[in-house]
Amino acid sequence: MAFIEIRNLFKRYKKVTAVNRIRLEVKKGELLTLLGPSGCGKTTTLRCIAGLEKPEEGDIIIDGKPMISGGFVPPSKRGIGMMFQNYAVWPHMKVYSNIVYGLRLQNISRQSIKEKAKDVLELVGLQGLDDRYPGQLSGGQQQRVALARALIRNPKVLLLDEPLSNLDAKLREKMRFEIKSLVKRMGITSVYVTHDQAEAMVISDRIVVMEKGNIVQIGSPREIYEKPASRFVADFIGAMNFIPGEVVSVLPGSDEVYVRTEFSDKLLCRSAGVDVTTPGQKVYASIRPEDVEVFSEPPAGENLFKGVIANKAYLGNFLFLFVNINGTTIRVQAPHQLPQEEGHEIVLSLNPQKCIVLPE
Amino acid sequence: MARAGSGPPVYGMINEGCDMSRGNNVLSSLLWFVIAFLVIYPLSILIIESLKVSGTAASGIQNYLEFFQDTYYLKTFWNTLVLSTMVLLVATLFGIPLAYILARYRQRGKTIFTALILMPIVLPAYAGVFAFVIFFGKFGTMNLLLMDAGLIDKPLNFIYGLHGLVFIEALHMLPFIVLSLVAGLTSIDPSFEEAAEVEGASGFRRFITVTLPLCTPSYLAGAVMVFLWPFTDWLTPLILGQVDFLPSVAYINIAYHFTDQHRKYMGIVAVVVSSIICITLFLFARWWVEKRKYTGLSKGTTAEGRVIEPSSFVKTGSYLYMFFIAALVLLIPIVLGLSAFSRRWVFEPFPTYWTLDNFRVILMESPGLIKNSFVFSVIALIFGVIFGLPAAYIIVRTRTPGKDALDFMITLMLAFPGIAIGVSYLLAFWEGIPLATHWIIMPLALFSRRLPYFLRIAHASYLQLDVSLEEASEVSGVGKFRTFINISLPLLIKGVLVGVVMFFIMAFQEISTAIFLYRGGWETLPIGIYLNWHRGMEFGISAAMAFLMIVITFILLLIIAKIGGGILKAAWGPGEGR
């Protein structure tokens, strides 16, 4: 049963469509990520859930209650917690006042407010800092204040709008895991917005990839990475070689497809759930750089091609190669014990299990 | 969303709840009602009156035709244009090096020099005129010192004439040029100039080809205010015995010849013509500035832009130059102070007879002036805050229909000559709505004249307030009004206070509007200054009153500096005229 349901959400700013009639369901206790480049509509969607934007069309149901069709429910009445990109910690209030701000409006005794604040401060690791002003805290600490403030009222839904983008890289990686384990432990249904694919992979139960106001794919991090639905998704998440070609034949009773490319008449690929079944259709044979294997001598098997190393770069934990096969450049991520230098010939294996076709 | 052409959406314009936007609409209608009553109605009466033909019940454009055919009125029109051009030229010529020094050189005492050079912005214009008449007059200190030293035989004419007018008005308006150029210079991305340097353009060439052109938008915002000043200021020419300028002619025609209907109408025509020129130029400048904003072109400008360590030769020169300008400015309070604490200061370079008589006379004979000034300004201020805060909210934070027009109308008030507001109030609130028979007209007029000052500052501080701070409160379960009280107001309070003090200073020294509306018993301190000068013989009292005004202004300025001067800069930054 969906805890949050977005029905035909449509929002535009003047003539620019920000969110184009999307449908989406978030399960109870799930951590869902909206992922996409800037301007794809992910933040607008989140702000519609919060009630900070009013969509032109569509409805949002939270825990069975309509937020729009039954009269617009303002953000203050939606029972949500939210973390903002710039923390939005009020500079004129101490940490304690910031955190208990929303609680003070409810009918709760001072004593239990104090207890809740103590619990939540402990939860986010800010013990002893409740008497400070935000100006006296580091960015990471302010961010924890924002998290504590979002959590203290036990919200039905937690909304996170790129909460880590203002932190430095090391802290960001650490906070990803902290937020995830905290949210999971409390079992709060959460919607997380980010443009950072690595962050989305780490944190999410499911990822929603958006492009130009539309949802282009929904799936677990593994599904999104291994079975991208389009060239856009494959390109946005991780690196991918896109080899233009056309379908030669489809092997009956399997998802295997032969593709003709510049350098091969029969490149064996899998269709990975993407509907490309007609011979002659233009497609991309796609393979990730880490799925290309490198050999000095040709081994037995399919999809083996000779190529010349055009560029070779040492990146510490691996080598990155640009290999030229008859005019087509393939990016390869290889283990770093490779004797051949630039200009030498090697053999590439485009693993048929990992090589997928994507529609043009 | 489509990325082509348009940037990402601007968040933070929350007007979602239906009841909320209804509330905004009601608020907006109230604000519009005030604007209609206090601005649009009187100004339309002004235009209607200018079309009346004396001695008949008819109306038409005869007065305008006559105005542009009559050699005398044409001459005043031409004189005003010439004066404006000269004032702008002189202010620019002196302002460019000054702005460059202040914006770019690392120097000690920069803060104090900046404060001194910008001082005329808060001093009433008439204070400067009186001081320079005393100091540079025919038998003023300068001439007497030069004659005593045997350098000249006869007194030189320093200020009586066009050259004196240009000098005094240019000095008064110099801060606008300096402020806008400094804003331009500090907001240029340093990499633009570094790129020019790398390309081989060094020093002066780089300044002329890259730096100065990049500054033009912000320069223009200040320049237009300077150019418009001679179309507004009727008092300076009058004190210097020059009357053939548009605002002065308008003032004389209306104030002295109220019974001669034809002259009155011609005066009103002069007011309308001045206003039209002011509004047109102001709008043109705004449009031009909007069209070419270079500062937004690049990311990551540093807070202060490029700062250079000058060579000791340049450093000495720039110190001398700053000192020269600062000394001219400082003359105003010093000379007025000397005059205020002395009597019978004639034919002597410096006063010889020291006394507190002037202040005694002020306190004995006209304590009401000071009281009136305070009372009127405070009431105007209260109106200003009650109107300005909701207006800033509507303009910055909502999508209420007509809010841009509201912003536009209020900003337009910046360009309106004070004389236009004074005359139109006199015409509009005499019969029909006889507000002008009650003293409330004085604070009302001050309110409409100075409103943009408070609004721009409130507006700027509202823009600096990150909208997510307010949203975070709403998400925490707090409604709109309480969010405003708990979050917005405490964070805006600095800006609001600076706006309040600035508004008070400007209302306190206002004369162009008030001079038309005051009746016996309603005189303010500036009107007292004018009347005492006008009666002749009481120059010392005028000077003492002007000195008193300067002292009060200074105290208020200190308060602003304590609260935070950065807000002023944000309010009058590039792209916004004063």
Side-chain angles (χ1 to χ4, degrees), chain A residues 22-164:
Chain A
I22 63 165
R23 295 164 164 277
L24 182 62
E25 292 187 356
V26 189
K27 301 187 194 85
K28 193 166 174 61
E30 186 181 30
L31 205 173
L32 184 95
T33 298
L34 303 178
L35 176 66
S38 72
C40 72
K42 56 191 191 301
T43 298
T44 304
T45 306
L46 189 82
R47 290 171 62 87
C48 284
I49 300 175
L52 295 168
E53 302 287 338
K54 190 177 183 183
E56 266 78 36
E57 289 171 32
D59 203 354
I60 292 167
I61 320 287
I62 297 177
D63 196 12
K65 288 184 206 82
M67 293 291 123
I68 292 152
S69 61
F72 185 80
V73 181
S76 52
K77 301 274 185 282
R78 290 193 180 192
I80 49 177
M82 184 161 175
M83 279 182 81
F84 292 82
Q85 187 167 7
N86 55 353
Y87 323 137
V89 175
W90 301 303
H92 63 304
M93 294 182 187
K94 287 181 174 174
V95 169
Y96 183 80
S97 307
N98 256 290
I99 291 173
V100 303
Y101 179 79
L103 271 191
R104 279 187 175 151
L105 288 170
Q106 299 175 350
N107 250 341
I108 305 175
S109 71
R110 275 176 159 256
Q111 193 52 41
S112 78
I113 289 182
K114 256 189 189 157
E115 278 162 22
K116 284 191 181 206
K118 190 169 167 283
D119 290 347
V120 78
L121 279 168
E122 217 161 282
L123 203 62
V124 301
L126 281 177
Q127 302 97 314
L129 295 179
D130 49 346
D131 210 26
R132 299 251 188 112
Y133 278 103
Q136 299 166 301
L137 301 179
S138 69
Q141 286 169 328
Q142 288 188 33
Q143 208 254 356
R144 283 161 201 264
V145 175
L147 183 60
R149 183 177 66 191
L151 291 176
I152 196 166
R153 293 186 311 141
N154 265 328
K156 285 189 282 191
V157 173
L158 181 64
L159 304 175
L160 305 104
D161 184 9
E162 309 213 19
L164 303 180

Side-chain angles (χ1 to χ4, degrees), chain A residues 17 47 86 90 101 105 153, chain B residues 1 466 469 471 473 475 478:
Chain A
T17 302
R47 290 171 62 87
N86 55 353
W90 301 303
Y101 179 79
L105 288 170
R153 293 186 311 141
Chain B
M1 87 199 58
D466 194 322
L469 290 170
E471 290 173 351
S473 164
V475 169
V478 179

Side-chain angles (χ1 to χ4, degrees), chain B residues 83-413:
Chain B
L83 179 64
S84 282
T85 313
M86 301 278 287
V87 168
L88 181 58
L89 267 178
V90 171
T92 304
L93 229 56
F94 281 85
I96 288 177
L98 214 47
Y100 193 79
I101 294 168
L102 291 177
R104 291 293 167 83
Y105 289 168
R106 207 187 300 280
Q107 278 186 327
R108 281 160 171 274
K110 206 154 122 173
T111 331
I112 184 83
F113 273 114
T114 311
L116 280 177
I117 288 161
L118 297 185
M119 201 164 75
I121 219 170
V122 291
L123 291 183
Y126 41 86
V129 189
F130 285 128
F132 290 123
V133 165
I134 298 171
F135 194 81
F136 289 115
K138 215 158 197 178
F139 291 95
T141 309
M142 196 67 185
N143 270 323
L144 290 173
L145 282 177
L146 287 175
M147 283 196 286
D148 286 354
L151 290 171
I152 51 173
D153 303 325
K154 278 192 300 185
L156 296 174
N157 181 5
F158 284 115
I159 51 166
Y160 291 102
L162 186 65
H163 60 292
L165 257 179
V166 170
F167 160 65
I168 290 175
E169 298 204 347
L171 187 70
H172 181 64
M173 296 310 277
L174 189 62
F176 284 97
I177 295 289
V178 174
L179 265 185
S180 54
L181 277 175
V182 165
L185 285 169
T186 45
S187 61
I188 295 176
D189 187 334
S191 59
F192 286 139
E193 286 174 282
E194 282 156 8
E197 211 165 341
V198 170
E199 296 296 319
S202 63
F204 188 69
R205 195 185 153 79
R206 181 174 72 241
F207 181 74
I208 294 293
T209 54
V210 175
T211 314
L212 221 46
L214 286 175
C215 282
T216 37
S218 44
Y219 164 74
L220 208 74
V224 69
M225 299 315 287
V226 177
F227 192 84
L228 296 183
W229 180 239
F231 283 92
T232 305
D233 178 27
W234 52 272
L235 185 53
T236 308
L238 221 57
I239 296 176
L240 293 179
Q242 311 278 311
V243 289
D244 298 342
F245 296 94
L246 270 186
S248 312
V249 163
Y251 172 73
I252 290 173
N253 270 9
I254 296 167
Y256 289 81
H257 301 277
F258 215 70
T259 44
D260 180 343
Q261 278 218 319
H262 183 65
R263 286 196 72 166
K264 182 182 99 176
Y265 290 141
M266 291 310 288
I268 295 172
V269 167
V271 171
V272 174
V273 169
S274 296
S275 306
I276 288 171
I277 289 174
C278 288
I279 297 292
T280 313
L281 281 176
F282 181 77
L283 290 181
F284 177 76
R286 255 176 87 92
W287 169 79
W288 203 85
V289 168
E290 273 309 310
K291 213 177 59 158
R292 325 192 158 198
K293 262 189 182 165
Y294 304 120
T295 45
L297 280 181
S298 61
K299 288 180 167 182
T301 48
T302 53
E304 52 172 1
R306 267 164 78 100
V307 176
I308 305 163
E309 185 76 50
S311 68
S312 56
F313 177 71
V314 173
K315 205 168 195 167
T316 317
S318 60
Y319 264 125
L320 283 176
Y321 185 65
M322 285 197 296
F323 191 79
F324 168 67
I325 304 282
L328 279 178
V329 174
L330 267 179
L331 265 185
I332 301 170
I334 291 174
V335 170
L336 288 178
L338 291 179
S339 177
F341 289 102
S342 66
R343 283 228 115 167
R344 298 195 296 273
W345 178 13
V346 231
F347 299 112
E348 299 282 347
F350 298 103
T352 44
Y353 179 75
W354 300 98
T355 173
L356 286 175
D357 247 22
N358 292 321
F359 293 100
R360 194 181 56 82
V361 171
I362 294 173
L363 285 179
M364 294 281 290
E365 290 183 4
S366 37
L369 268 58
I370 300 171
K371 195 195 89 194
N372 282 345
S373 273
F374 271 101
V375 170
F376 294 161
S377 302
V378 166
I379 294 175
L381 178 60
I382 293 169
F383 289 151
V385 174
I386 292 175
F387 181 91
L389 270 184
Y393 166 77
I394 292 278
I395 290 165
V396 178
R397 282 287 192 260
T398 72
R399 293 203 195 101
T400 313
K403 63 141 186 152
D404 291 328
L406 187 69
D407 188 22
F408 181 76
M409 276 304 294
I410 297 171
T411 312
L412 216 56
M413 295 296 287

Side-chain angles (χ1 to χ4, degrees), chain B residues 454-470:
Chain B
F454 177 76
L455 191 83
R456 288 238 72 82
I457 293 170
H459 186 259
S461 17
Y462 228 130
L463 282 178
Q464 287 178 332
L465 176 64
D466 194 322
V467 72
S468 60
L469 290 170
E470 292 167 333

